[in-house]
Amino acid sequence: MEARFAIIGDIHANLEALNAVLEDARSQSVTGFYCLGDIVGYNANPQECIDVVREIGAITVCGNHDYYCSHDKSLEDFQPLAAAVIDWTRRQINPASAKWLAELPFSKIFFQHSFSIVHGTLDMPEYWGYVFDTFDAEAHFNYQQTPFCFHGHTHVPVIFEKQGFDVKRYEATPSGERVELKFGRKYFINVGSIGQPRDENPLASYLIFEPRSRMIEFRRVEYDVQTAAEKVMRAGLPQRLAQRLLVGR
Ligand code: ZN
């Protein structure tokens, strides 16, 4: 059977969204899972989401929230909202899970399948830079050794394409549309966020990748947003985190 991978990321402790995505991915007969990090942070089920990601055997890289929730580091560089949730999350996850998060690598390369994964950018991944535009993407491409690389961090699905010295930015294609990536170019693709989309589309976002045929397919999945939002409120987390789930911002 041809390899058909689900690339998931920015789950952010949203168990309802994660379960819906996994159900969708299984209905699409994926053969493996890769996770771009930020399993925890923002929503109410960090421990449960770590358990699920480990159960499905997803090959995982570290996100900034995973890192700070598992290291006893100052949170002064975070916005107050994010810092409050990281502080809360640290108290929700068990020591074994904290250790697992703390040991996640910043990036991984799979030469046999021509791709790599990173949370934000391969340009010093441990500094958690955001790639929004072609300028940021150019800096990243200097470090991309494989034709394809997948990332998250901005929570906005998008495609960067490098041909020669030219870098272009393309909007993510509509859910369920299969796209063939061109041979001889490099691609840096943001798969969007499962647990807290910010592209004004509240549906959970992930991507299916077939390395041999170079096909990708963005997928948006409906889930029980109401329950996820109510859990955020009940946990005593900032109300704004519940509201933004409903609007995808
Ligand atoms: Zn994130």
Side-chain angles (χ1 to χ4, degrees), residues 95-188:
S97 297
K99 182 168 184 290
W100 182 77
L101 286 182
E103 288 171 355
L104 289 173
F106 289 117
S107 64
K108 272 200 161 274
I109 303 183
F110 312 97
F111 284 112
Q112 73 277 23
H113 294 303
S114 310
F115 78 105
S116 31
I117 57 175
V118 66
H119 185 62
T121 166
L122 289 176
D123 178 17
M124 298 188 288
E126 68 278 19
Y127 288 91
W128 316 110
Y130 289 90
V131 176
F132 284 112
D133 53 29
T134 54
F135 184 78
D136 305 325
E138 255 172 64
H140 156 87
F141 275 122
N142 292 329
Y143 301 89
Q144 185 176 321
Q145 301 177 54
T146 50
F148 316 113
C149 181
F150 299 99
H151 71 124
H153 198 33
T154 64
H155 300 200
V156 176
V158 62
I159 302 172
F160 293 99
E161 181 194 68
K162 181 176 166 75
Q163 184 183 19
F165 290 107
D166 192 31
V167 175
K168 287 199 170 72
R169 180 190 189 278
Y170 296 100
E171 297 299 319
T173 41
S175 179
E177 194 173 302
R178 282 164 64 83
V179 185
E180 190 180 337
L181 302 175
K182 298 194 176 72
F183 192 74
R185 300 183 190 183
K186 274 188 178 176
Y187 290 91
F188 186 38

